[in-house]
Amino acid sequence: MILDRIFPAGDQNVSRRTVLSVGLAVGGGLLLGIGIPALVDEALAADDKSFSPNAFVRIDPDGQVTLIVCQVEMGQGTYTSMPMLIAEELGVDLAQVHVEHAPPDDKLYSNPLIGFQVTGGSTSVRGFWKPLRIAGAAARTMLVATAAQAWKVDAASCHVEKGTVIHAATGRRLAYGALVAQAAKQTPPTDVALKDPKDFTLVGKPVKRTDTADKVNGKAEYGIDVKIPGMKIATVAACPVIGGKLASVDDSKAKAVKGVREIVRLDNAVAVIADHMGAAKKGLEALVITWDGGANAKYSTADLVAQLADAAKKPGAVAQQDGDVGAAMAGAATKIEAVYEMPLLAHTTMEPMNCTVHVRADGCEIWVGTQVLSRAQATAAAVTGLPLDKVKVHNHLLGGGFGRRLDIDGVTQAVQIAKQVAYPVKVVWTREEDVQHDVYRPYYYDLLSAGLDGKGAPVAFSHRVVASSILARWAPPFFKNGLDIDAVDGAAGPYGVPNVLVDYVRQEPPAGLTTGWWRGVGVTHNAFMVEGFIDELAVAARQDPVAYRRALLDKNLRARGVLDLAADKAGWGKPLPGDVGRGVSLVFGFGTYIAQVAEVSVGKDGRVKVQRVVCAVDCGRQVNPDTIRAQMQGGVIYGLTAALYGEITLRDGRVEQGNFDSYPALRIDEAPTIEVHIVDSQEEPGGMGEPGTATIAPAVVNAVYALTGKRLRKLPIDTSQLKSA
Amino acid sequence: MAFDIKINGTSHSVDVDGDTPLLWVLRDVLGMTGTKFGCGMALCGACTVHQDGTAIRSCITPIESVGTGEITTIEAVGQTEAGQKIQKAWLDVEVVQCGYCQSGQIMSASALLAGNPHPTDGDIDDAMSGNICRCGTYVRIREAIKQAAQPAATNERRG
Ligand code: FES
Ligand code: FES
């Protein structure tokens, strides 16, 4: 997927290309800048090839270590796993390392953070795994050298312990804080020795997250919690018809609502600004609005699907071509074809979209939780006409990201509103607005076909992906020759098939219906298609689904390893109660291998209840095993919500869902037990934020098939097909 | 008109329409932002607070209905025995991900525990199924409630 290209996982070159700079921090500390070229792709970054660090480590004279990164914390544990990497190599306690959001607000750093700042694609640990360790090791080397010089001893005779350099022979000790001023005058070492992973004392051990204490007592401040003196609260209604405009609005009744201050009109929306959200909502309800629906006033999901089905008839841009699928298909003993579909999806991050903005004549300040800081800044500059350096963005904790906060539509709108008033305004979307004006996961309409030989093994496999292109909109330089590399990520599956053809047809919905990233992105979509279809092949071959997959994994031993582990732990093949079915799926994505076995039952009303999920994960070397488990558990729930309920539909150009009643989320009484088994691996770390989400839907539909004989090729699961009473 | 309400033991006078939900009085008028907004329709539980010890959804509680009821929010629930146990268990079990839903989860869980020191799985489902967590922390929420419900000695050992 795209973020993989921007942040190559396990790239051996990363260590060589990591650039360090060193300097004296204001206040006498040691400041180490880390330039990680892997994080700055030429296609997206400025042409500036000069040294531009994208992370800093500062060690203060009091010994405190601060890591300044562009990654944001949205629940994935980044603010714990990244300091772990520094602490491990630097030789300090984890408690000594603090994290700050970049770009920093203070004036400590002359070197601005340039590049493309983004948190997404399960990249945090992968992108920073080597560079942060190198930075920690480099700082340690300089501190040891400084102490050794002062003592006039060989640096090799010194060691470090909990933030102190020790010369064991003489018992002399110097704390890091006492050394930083001198160390800052050194040239950073070009070649540092990293710890042998077998000597790790912190990395790989379950560590308590450092950001949780304030999240259980109400103190944690998310974007929506920002308080600025003089601030008012606004809520918005954008045209409910996609791409439509505001025709007129009568605000006389709204203005009479106690606490309402102003009504602001935009091209396609109205905002009510008030003293508090209660008044703003009441004011919004009191508006009499006439919308101009425009060209999409009759558009519906059926139109969207018909357009995709039509587009699917044409060949697309070729993404992968191995052997000769046409010839192999012609010679196959059995041919199987299927259409698989996945719906538009909203994200419903728990924290609804919001953004606080203060526009003044000489500058603009923004308070928001975003995955893309620099884009938030750029859109504010564009809307206000201010130069970029007059726009200051304060990032906050994210109440969930899931890809939604990789888009800045909400920031743009908030700045448009704030531009019209003299005070800071916090724009908060209602849940209905959040669902009806999301940037949706694309609708996917895929054609799969396979040819099997006389023994049932696949000799040909083709997969045509038909959907809108997120990449063409979000990162156009990566959309080349009609191919969206994210949309086809994982489209061939992890199996060894001699003849493979994957192609992609781009079909965009009308302007106004924007599609975007959703947890697990291309991998999540392709996992459902491929893993459902491979199960169909196993059925056609009259073979056990695990054995069938296994036979195709001779050359993919890590994939086979997790499949075996999941099957073993789940008791695959052992008898189940008659009303329970078992299904399996296997996914490779984000550098991580996952197999899941789901056990499901189906009620008389057709409702699917997932009772147990067994996950086997090989994500390479583990940084924080507890975070890996948490991400797997959460990923399963997120993916299950989508598999069972997730569907955005359009009618008369309007999104039909609004709140958690019509766009439900899985609840605790529906949550399965989830077992996570992690493979002890020495490979480069893989991403964990998304693959768990990708794997669950196919495991569930395969289990439904095992139980009922009904093959579900479309999400969400249609309970009417499974009714028995 | 002005309403006098008691929150976390302190009296406040607020001048808003009587139908204003308690949620917005807490968050926007009094600046107590620990209580969260998630749906505004009693569908997600993010806004849960206690009224005289009972869990209520503040997003659908008009300020005029609060009367002399004592409101407790996430900011002060740690001062109650059940709330303190729940918060500790939440940290021990490492429940939290993004954390946004957790104020509401903790308020629901501590009301449950205060009224039912040994909840069964069914009791947990009943008390907690009104609280959505999009990060999917349900497995750990269940575990944490069970841990908090254990006798203190056992708690120590596990912690
Ligand atoms: S905000 Fe009150 S229940 Fe969702
Ligand atoms: S922890 Fe993120 S919504 Fe529950």
Side-chain angles (χ1 to χ4, degrees):
Chain A
M1 69 147 271
I2 170 64
L3 298 172
D4 278 83
R5 311 293 167 112
I6 304 173
F7 312 128
D11 181 348
Q12 295 310 318
N13 293 325
V14 170
S15 57
R16 264 184 280 133
R17 289 190 280 125
T18 300
V19 192
L20 298 176
S21 74
V22 72
L24 196 63
V26 172
L30 170 69
L31 182 66
L32 199 63
I34 314 158
I36 310 164
L39 290 176
V40 186
D41 191 282
E42 285 149 40
L44 292 175
D47 338 314
D48 184 6
K49 291 278 184 288
S50 61
F51 178 69
S52 54
N54 24 36
F56 291 92
V57 178
R58 189 180 75 224
I59 308 175
D60 291 330
D62 65 1
Q64 171 161 323
V65 182
T66 306
L67 171 63
I68 304 131
V69 288
C70 60
Q71 310 303 104
V72 296
E73 178 63 66
M74 47 191 182
Q76 81 283 39
T78 294
Y79 280 15
T80 309
S81 48
M82 297 175 88
M84 284 173 77
L85 298 172
I86 288 279
E88 180 73 62
E89 294 287 350
L90 186 57
V92 298
D93 282 339
L94 185 59
Q96 250 176 288
V97 186
H98 297 246
V99 189
E100 281 177 14
H101 279 301
D105 184 29
D106 56 34
K107 300 284 182 289
L108 280 178
Y109 314 100
S110 55
N111 231 329
L113 297 175
I114 318 173
F116 190 74
Q117 298 170 11
V118 56
T119 309
S122 300
T123 55
S124 299
V125 163
R126 289 189 296 156
F128 283 86
W129 162 248
K130 278 259 171 69
L132 288 184
R133 289 174 58 211
I134 289 170
R140 171 181 26 95
T141 307
M142 288 190 285
L143 291 161
V144 168
T146 306
Q149 270 167 23
W151 295 329
K152 302 200 168 46
V153 301
D154 183 3
S157 65
C158 303
H159 73 281
V160 304
E161 225 176 85
K162 292 184 187 289
T164 304
V165 184
I166 300 169
H167 186 244
T170 56
R172 280 177 290 187
R173 311 163 66 91
L174 273 171
Y176 284 0
L179 294 164
V180 288
Q182 275 307 109
K185 294 178 188 153
Q186 296 204 349
T187 319
T190 47
D191 211 7
V192 292
L194 295 181
K195 266 190 178 178
D196 187 328
K198 74 173 164 34
D199 300 327
F200 283 166
T201 53
L202 192 57
V203 170
K205 311 278 183 296
V207 164
K208 284 266 189 268
R209 289 177 46 166
T210 52
D211 61 329
T212 43
D214 282 351
K215 290 180 174 177
V216 301
N217 60 22
K219 284 199 190 120
E221 196 182 67
Y222 299 83
I224 204 169
D225 300 328
V226 165
K227 288 162 232 145
I228 310 298
M231 177 185 82
K232 303 287 171 215
I233 312 286
T235 196
V236 189
C239 181
V241 177
I242 50 169
K245 300 264 176 255
L246 176 66
S248 65
V249 56
D250 172 357
D251 60 11
S252 49
K253 288 208 187 70
K255 279 187 168 152
V257 171
K258 184 182 168 90
V260 167
R261 297 280 167 156
E262 278 187 77
I263 317 294
V264 169
R265 292 160 175 80
L266 304 180
D267 273 358
N268 61 352
V270 199
V272 176
I273 306 178
D275 293 341
H276 55 85
M277 183 72 170
K281 281 178 86 172
K282 200 168 165 183
L284 198 72
E285 277 154 29
L287 292 174
V288 183
I289 311 173
T290 311
W291 300 108
D292 170 8
N296 300 324
K298 288 275 160 258
Y299 193 77
S300 73
T301 315
D303 297 319
L304 177 75
V305 179
Q307 284 161 354
L308 290 165
D310 203 38
K313 292 176 187 143
K314 297 170 285 195
V318 173
Q320 182 177 341
Q321 190 164 24
D322 305 335
D324 184 341
V325 163
M329 207 70 98
T334 315
K335 280 179 222 149
I336 296 166
E337 286 181 11
V339 175
Y340 274 74
E341 291 173 75
M342 291 172 93
L344 294 170
L345 290 178
H347 300 79
T348 54
T349 55
M350 206 68 229
E351 176 194 13
M353 296 302 283
N354 66 87
C355 179
T356 303
V357 185
H358 190 191
V359 179
R360 302 176 313 268
D362 61 343
C364 171
E365 266 186 280
I366 297 178
W367 297 262
V368 68
T370 177
Q371 293 172 259
V372 282
L373 231 63
S374 54
R375 286 191 170 186
Q377 186 187 35
T379 190
V383 172
T384 56
L386 288 162
L388 212 51
D389 63 356
K390 296 291 181 209
V391 179
K392 196 188 244 179
V393 185
H394 307 265
N395 210 0
H396 286 265
L397 290 172
L398 276 63
F402 314 129
R404 178 62 180 103
R405 291 184 160 101
L406 285 167
D407 272 297
I408 41 89
D409 51 311
V411 178
T412 307
Q413 186 198 59
V415 178
Q416 287 168 343
I417 293 165
K419 209 172 86 162
Q420 301 191 36
V421 299
Y423 39 82
V425 58
K426 182 196 287 183
V427 180
V428 178
W429 287 11
T430 60
R431 178 60 66 190
E432 291 78 5
E433 195 71 7
D434 183 79
V435 168
Q436 290 168 359
H437 297 280
D438 202 338
V439 172
Y440 303 99
R441 204 274 307 273
Y443 196 109
Y444 291 98
Y445 186 99
D446 289 14
L447 309 184
L448 292 104
S449 60
L452 309 184
D453 66 16
K455 292 187 186 129
V459 290
F461 173 88
S462 78
H463 185 171
R464 174 167 298 158
V465 175
V466 186
S468 55
S469 171
I470 305 170
L471 213 48
R473 172 184 69 82
W474 195 84
F478 285 90
F479 183 77
K480 288 185 194 127
N481 306 319
L483 181 63
D484 184 314
I485 52 173
D486 167 67
V488 297
D489 190 4
Y495 306 104
V497 180
N499 303 287
V500 174
L501 177 65
V502 174
D503 63 354
Y504 167 74
V505 180
R506 181 181 179 192
Q507 173 62 45
E508 293 292 334
L513 181 63
T514 313
T515 55
W517 307 114
W518 191 94
R519 195 172 187 177
V521 293
V523 172
T524 294
H525 130 245
N526 285 308
F528 173 67
M529 313 302 199
V530 172
E531 284 302 298
F533 190 61
I534 201 91
D535 227 64
E536 294 197 52
L537 303 190
V539 171
R542 295 199 169 74
Q543 289 179 32
D544 171 78
V546 169
Y548 190 78
R549 286 174 171 80
R550 204 174 183 282
L552 303 172
L553 294 169
D554 282 351
K555 300 218 171 55
N556 200 342
L557 298 181
R558 290 178 74 191
R560 200 170 79 184
V562 292
L563 180 65
D564 286 347
L565 182 60
D568 177 47
K569 297 291 181 187
W572 187 269
K574 299 216 177 94
L576 282 168
D579 58 350
V580 179
R582 199 186 259 142
V584 69
S585 71
L586 171 66
V587 170
F588 172 67
F590 313 97
T592 293
Y593 297 81
I594 297 192
Q596 288 176 357
V597 174
E599 291 175 11
V600 311
S601 60
V602 177
K604 284 198 167 22
D605 56 358
R607 281 177 73 97
V608 173
K609 164 100 176 138
V610 181
Q611 299 182 340
R612 177 186 182 217
V613 178
V614 177
C615 315
V617 192
D618 176 352
C619 55
R621 190 174 290 288
Q622 305 168 39
V623 175
N624 189 350
D626 194 56
T627 294
I628 295 170
R629 279 172 212 285
Q631 283 298 308
M632 189 57 56
Q633 293 164 342
V636 165
I637 300 292
Y638 200 77
L640 203 47
T641 288
L644 297 179
Y645 306 125
E647 183 174 34
I648 289 292
T649 55
L650 294 152
R651 187 185 177 144
D652 293 335
R654 297 167 185 239
V655 169
E656 295 185 283
Q657 293 70 28
N659 209 317
F660 289 116
D661 47 355
S662 49
Y663 194 78
L666 202 82
R667 294 169 184 272
I668 194 169
D669 55 326
E670 305 161 293
T673 59
I674 302 170
E675 297 166 31
V676 182
H677 304 278
I678 307 174
V679 174
D680 185 19
S681 167
Q682 316 303 313
E683 304 284 341
E684 291 283 320
M688 274 313 301
E690 314 188 66
T693 297
T695 322
I696 186 66
V700 169
V701 296
N702 292 340
V704 168
Y705 177 82
L707 181 65
T708 66
K710 292 254 169 48
R711 178 61 64 187
L712 303 167
R713 299 189 184 89
K714 190 176 171 187
L715 292 181
I717 288 173
D718 177 5
T719 53
S720 71
Q721 287 188 43
L722 303 175
K723 266 195 189 121
S724 55
Chain B
M1 79 175 257
F3 294 89
D4 294 315
I5 50 171
K6 201 163 177 197
I7 301 161
N8 301 332
T10 307
S11 297
H12 299 266
S13 180
V14 292
D15 183 17
V16 294
D17 277 349
D19 59 358
T20 303
L22 173 62
L23 173 64
W24 307 119
V25 171
L26 292 171
R27 287 184 54 83
D28 294 344
V29 180
L30 300 173
M32 299 170 69
T33 51
T35 305
K36 301 303 186 204
F37 164 54
C39 70
M41 284 178 64
L43 296 167
C44 78
C47 66
T48 307
V49 299
H50 297 172
Q51 181 169 16
D52 299 322
T54 304
I56 60 161
R57 310 293 185 219
S58 65
C59 69
I60 53 150
T61 305
I63 191 74
E64 65 198 359
S65 75
V66 174
T68 56
E70 301 234 6
I71 301 295
T72 307
T73 69
I74 185 69
E75 284 90 350
V77 77
Q79 288 156 29
T80 69
E81 195 191 330
Q84 195 249 330
K85 276 190 192 167
I86 288 287
Q87 282 175 330
K88 179 178 182 306
W90 244 242
L91 293 175
D92 286 350
V93 173
E94 196 84 301
V95 170
V96 177
Q97 290 194 29
C98 85
Y100 191 81
C101 74
Q102 299 296 346
S103 295
Q105 304 280 2
I106 287 167
M107 295 311 287
S108 291
S110 45
L112 166 66
L113 201 66
N116 177 355
H118 301 288
T120 63
D121 277 322
D123 296 338
I124 293 174
D125 283 349
D126 288 346
M128 303 303 295
S129 61
N131 287 79
I132 291 173
C133 173
R134 288 292 279 148
C135 296
T137 61
Y138 300 131
V139 174
R140 293 183 186 216
I141 286 173
R142 186 179 299 280
E143 192 184 332
I145 293 174
K146 288 182 175 171
Q147 177 168 324
Q150 284 178 2
T154 321
N155 241 349
E156 291 301 307
R157 229 184 22 246
R158 290 194 68 183

